[in-house]
Amino acid sequence: DTAVSQTPKYLVTQMGNDKSIKCEQNLGHDTMYWYKQDSKKFLKIMFSYNNKELIINETVPNRFSPKSPDKAHLNLHINSLELGDSAVYFCASSPGGGPRLFFGPGTRLTVL
Amino acid sequence: AQSVTQPDIHITVSEGASLELRCNYSYGATPYLFWYVQSPGQGLQLLLKYFSGDTLVQGIKGFEAEFKRSQSSFNLRKPSVHWSDAAEYFCAVGSNFGNEKLTFGTGTRLTIIP
């Protein structure tokens, strides 16, 4: 039973395209996150949602739009992809918004 | 603002040798501290955490870490490393104030030589 799952695992696409990454957690947590890990392995939070409500929105281009249809899902849609968007995107969840995070396996996005 | 510094970008140790990975943090209140491990091509797995109480915490895979408030440090240790410990290690700091973000260090890559 996968606690936090993401699809797809790999995503290769051309500049200018629009793509989505899906995330689901079956832990019953009410807070979910998107983190971006760049080529130097630096992890930075992008968004967090609590019970479908946006809580944290770091300085992220508005080409990135998270959507939470319910508290078990947090999807990330990216418009007009750019080369600099190439990274590994991690979904995570935590109980009650606390600091203990459970991470998904990551989605490696490559923009050509 | 909270921050985490991992001064060692890359460490190489021999299998069976002891290991210490350094982590220093900056945080205005009592911190919650974490060590995560990321194996190649994998997501992050929690090794151990410190919230309060005993400043020496035990984690999975034989790792331990010691919280030293006076030094703002939370160094990770293992008495004898195994080849399977080769991975990227991340220290992180956060709080238990609801919905606050977790801030990660830049990671330390650990290489094990036979």
Side-chain angles (χ1 to χ4, degrees):
Chain A
D1 287 342
T2 304
V4 183
S5 60
Q6 296 178 228
T7 54
K9 189 169 175 64
Y10 299 96
L11 187 51
V12 181
T13 188
Q14 300 285 333
M15 267 197 314
N17 284 350
D18 303 338
K19 290 294 178 186
S20 291
I21 306 171
K22 295 186 176 182
C23 177
E24 176 181 1
Q25 55 96 4
N26 62 7
L27 298 167
H29 294 164
D30 47 17
T31 306
M32 295 184 72
Y33 309 80
W34 279 109
Y35 276 80
K36 179 180 179 181
Q37 185 176 48
D38 63 23
S39 58
K40 295 183 179 177
K41 301 279 188 175
F42 183 59
L43 268 162
K44 186 168 166 50
I45 191 168
M46 300 173 70
F47 303 102
S48 87
Y49 268 73
N50 181 276
N51 273 323
K52 304 191 297 177
E53 181 183 345
L54 182 64
I55 300 298
I56 293 175
N57 184 352
E58 291 293 289
T59 308
V60 177
N62 58 15
R63 297 183 294 104
F64 290 79
S65 53
K67 282 190 171 52
S68 182
D70 56 61
K71 75 174 193 177
H73 295 83
L74 179 62
N75 304 323
L76 183 65
H77 188 76
I78 315 170
N79 290 326
S80 303
L81 278 155
E82 299 177 357
L83 293 176
D85 297 331
S86 296
V88 181
Y89 292 85
F90 286 100
C91 178
S93 70
S94 74
R100 162 76 164 98
L101 298 182
F102 293 75
F103 282 88
T107 295
R108 181 174 293 277
L109 171 65
T110 303
V111 182
L112 303 175
Chain B
Q2 60 202 53
S3 67
V4 178
T5 302
Q6 292 181 248
D8 303 306
I9 296 172
H10 185 199
I11 282 183
T12 300
V13 299
S14 298
E15 190 168 15
S18 64
L19 171 71
E20 182 168 28
L21 302 182
R22 296 183 290 166
C23 172
N24 292 96
Y25 67 90
S26 172
Y27 194 71
T30 301
Y32 282 36
L33 294 158
F34 304 82
W35 276 99
Y36 284 85
V37 60
Q38 183 181 22
S39 297
Q42 302 296 314
L44 283 84
Q45 181 184 20
L46 181 69
L47 279 177
L48 48 77
K49 61 185 183 294
Y50 171 78
F51 285 179
S52 65
D54 192 346
T55 55
L56 184 64
V57 293
Q58 303 296 321
I60 62 171
K61 304 185 182 188
F63 285 92
E64 66 178 26
E66 186 170 13
F67 169 57
K68 293 186 177 179
R69 185 187 298 275
S70 61
Q71 298 177 20
S72 297
S73 69
F74 189 56
N75 294 348
L76 181 72
R77 300 194 293 249
K78 186 169 184 179
S80 175
V81 296
H82 186 261
W83 64 267
S84 60
D85 293 326
E88 193 89 22
Y89 291 80
F90 293 93
C91 182
V93 65
S95 79
N96 203 32
F97 298 113
N99 301 311
E100 279 209 15
K101 60 186 180 183
L102 199 60
T103 299
F104 285 84
T106 49
T108 297
R109 183 158 61 96
L110 175 64
T111 298
I112 309 293
I113 54 178

